[in-house]
């Protein structure tokens, strides 16, 4: 489904600030994989997502999605089949636009039709309301409300819906619950699991929560210094505990930049 081969990214090359963020990284992701990703700050997790999403040109390597080489595709081209959520609930939405307008924009951006954004049909409104209802937040009755007035949890739930309103080939979750309070984070995580399972999505999720890493998905990978240093299968995850992870990654956990959490 996703094949990454020899991925290398160097920032500020040739200067005193040169930083190799990804080092000859290779990864195979099968259809339906749900991979949780662990690693310290600066390990290369978000840089990997940025490379997959097309935020910058990589220096070496190749990215193939569903048999298509997307290595040199622009970010806006990849956004039609790669969905992404960020840690900051403010990202991914237009705060001065209404809920309905944000959903319409997401639907237009991720689909192949070329209808005018200004023309939202009755069918579209009914679809958006049905999608919002599954969030169980009452947003289906507030579609004319500016997104900037929503709470962080509501906004992140809406962003999740926008990223999956047209099911993407690949969903990237970049610590998408980390900035929320525990109750909101739990709800967004439950919604995430529900949407992924319903649409049989392929997903990669960055987390610093060790319990989440073990409980969610069928694989867990650990990154350090721009490389993948461990890849746990579903069976290995079942046999592992948080203490096992702490021990397995002991050397990396000694790094004072680590932000892994047991709970």
């Amino acid at each position: 489904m996703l094949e990454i081969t020899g991925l290398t990214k160097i920032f500020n090359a040739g200067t005193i600030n040169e930083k190799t963020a990804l080092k000859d990284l290779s990864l195979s992701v099968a259809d339906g994989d749900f991979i949780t990703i662990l690693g310290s700050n600066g390990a290369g997790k978000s840089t990997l997502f940025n490379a997959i999403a097309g935020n910058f040109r990589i220096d070496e390597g190749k990215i193939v999605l569903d048999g298509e080489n997307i290595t040199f595709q622009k970010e806006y081209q990849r956004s039609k089949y790669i969905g992404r959520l960020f840690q900051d609930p403010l990202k991914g939405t237009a705060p001065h636009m209404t809920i309905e307008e944000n959903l319409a924009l997401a639907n237009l951006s991720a689909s192949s039709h070329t209808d005018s954004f200004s023309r939202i049909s009755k069918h579209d409104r009914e679809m958006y309301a049905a999608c919002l209802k599954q969030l169980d937040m009452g947003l289906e009755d507030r579609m004319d409300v500016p997104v900037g007035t929503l709470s962080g949890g509501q906004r992140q739930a809406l962003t999740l819906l926008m990223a999956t309103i047209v099911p993407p080939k690949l969903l990237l979750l970049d610590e998408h619950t980390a900035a929320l309070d525990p109750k909101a984070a739990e709800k967004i995580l439950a919604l995430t699991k529900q949407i992924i399972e319903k649409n049989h999505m392929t997903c990669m999720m960055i987390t610093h929560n060790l319990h989440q890493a073990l409980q969610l998905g069928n694989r867990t990978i650990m990154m350090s210094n721009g490389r993948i240093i461990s890849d746990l299968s579903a069976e290995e995850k079942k046999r592992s505990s948080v203490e096992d992870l702490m021990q397995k990654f002991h050397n990396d956990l000694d790094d004072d930049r680590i932000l892994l959490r047991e709970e």
Side-chain angles (χ1 to χ4, degrees), residues 135 137 139 142 149-159 180 184 188:
L135 301 181
M137 293 180 172
L139 297 182
R142 302 174 61 194
T149 64
L150 302 180
S151 69
Q154 290 173 327
R155 194 159 178 172
Q156 196 68 308
L158 176 62
T159 306
L180 305 177
I188 296 302

Side-chain angles (χ1 to χ4, degrees), residues 30-100:
D31 280 327
D33 267 353
F34 185 170
I35 301 176
T36 52
I37 304 174
L38 292 168
S40 62
N41 286 351
K45 306 181 300 297
S46 291
T47 305
L48 173 61
F49 276 16
N50 288 336
I52 295 170
N55 291 80
F56 49 67
R57 292 282 292 270
I58 61 173
D59 296 303
E60 295 178 20
K62 184 167 68 172
I63 304 172
V64 176
L65 184 63
D66 271 0
E68 181 181 2
N69 189 340
I70 65 170
T71 308
F72 302 108
Q73 277 190 3
K74 302 292 186 183
E75 181 179 6
Y76 76 88
Q77 294 173 304
R78 303 187 202 191
S79 68
K80 289 186 177 295
Y81 40 81
I82 297 177
R84 187 174 184 182
L85 267 72
F86 298 88
Q87 178 176 336
D88 186 355
L90 299 179
K91 286 188 175 183
T93 57
H96 301 298
M97 295 170 64
T98 66
I99 293 174
E100 178 182 274

Side-chain angles (χ1 to χ4, degrees), residues 152-167:
Q154 290 173 327
R155 194 159 178 172
Q156 196 68 308
L158 176 62
T159 306
L160 175 62
L161 195 58
M162 290 170 62
T164 57
I165 192 166
V166 176

Side-chain angles (χ1 to χ4, degrees), residues 137 152 255 261:
M137 293 180 172
D255 193 325
R261 299 190 302 272

Side-chain angles (χ1 to χ4, degrees), residues 76-258:
Y76 76 88
Q77 294 173 304
R78 303 187 202 191
S79 68
K80 289 186 177 295
Y81 40 81
I82 297 177
R84 187 174 184 182
L85 267 72
F86 298 88
Q87 178 176 336
D88 186 355
L90 299 179
K91 286 188 175 183
T93 57
H96 301 298
M97 295 170 64
T98 66
I99 293 174
E100 178 182 274
E101 289 170 337
N102 272 268
L103 286 170
L105 186 60
N107 188 34
L108 184 65
S109 298
S111 60
S112 58
H113 64 70
T114 57
D115 294 347
S116 170
F117 166 67
S118 62
R119 190 185 307 154
I120 302 175
S121 69
K122 179 182 178 182
H123 175 269
D124 288 336
R125 288 191 174 91
E126 291 174 348
M127 180 185 69
Y128 300 154
C131 290
L132 289 166
K133 192 170 183 178
Q134 69 179 324
L135 301 181
D136 194 27
M137 293 180 172
L139 297 182
E140 66 273 16
D141 299 320
R142 302 174 61 194
M143 291 202 296
D144 59 347
V145 170
V147 169
T149 64
L150 302 180
S151 69
Q154 290 173 327
R155 194 159 178 172
Q156 196 68 308
L158 176 62
T159 306
L160 175 62
L161 195 58
M162 290 170 62
T164 57
I165 192 166
V166 176
K169 293 181 179 180
L170 177 65
L171 180 62
L172 304 176
L173 305 174
D174 195 345
E175 294 188 78
H176 69 305
T177 63
L180 305 177
D181 65 75
K183 185 176 180 180
E186 185 178 352
K187 186 173 183 65
I188 296 302
L189 201 58
L191 286 169
T192 301
K193 291 169 62 179
Q194 176 185 326
I195 290 173
I196 289 173
E197 291 172 3
K198 178 182 177 182
N199 295 285
H200 307 289
M201 288 182 190
T202 303
C203 178
M204 299 171 68
M205 186 183 85
I206 295 171
T207 180
H208 282 120
N209 187 303
L210 296 174
H211 280 291
Q212 284 184 5
L214 285 176
Q215 293 172 0
L216 296 176
N218 65 312
R219 287 170 65 187
T220 294
I221 67 175
M222 178 72 175
M223 292 185 64
S224 180
N225 295 316
R227 291 193 172 106
I228 294 173
I229 61 173
S230 182
D231 187 344
L232 299 179
S233 67
E235 286 302 315
E236 289 173 315
K237 281 161 63 75
K238 288 179 183 178
R239 297 195 300 266
S240 299
S241 65
V242 168
E243 290 72 23
D244 292 332
L245 279 187
M246 296 286 284
Q247 181 62 41
K248 187 177 185 63
F249 305 133
H250 175 73
N251 291 336
D252 198 60
L253 291 170
D254 282 342
D255 193 325
D256 62 3
R257 298 170 300 165
I258 198 68

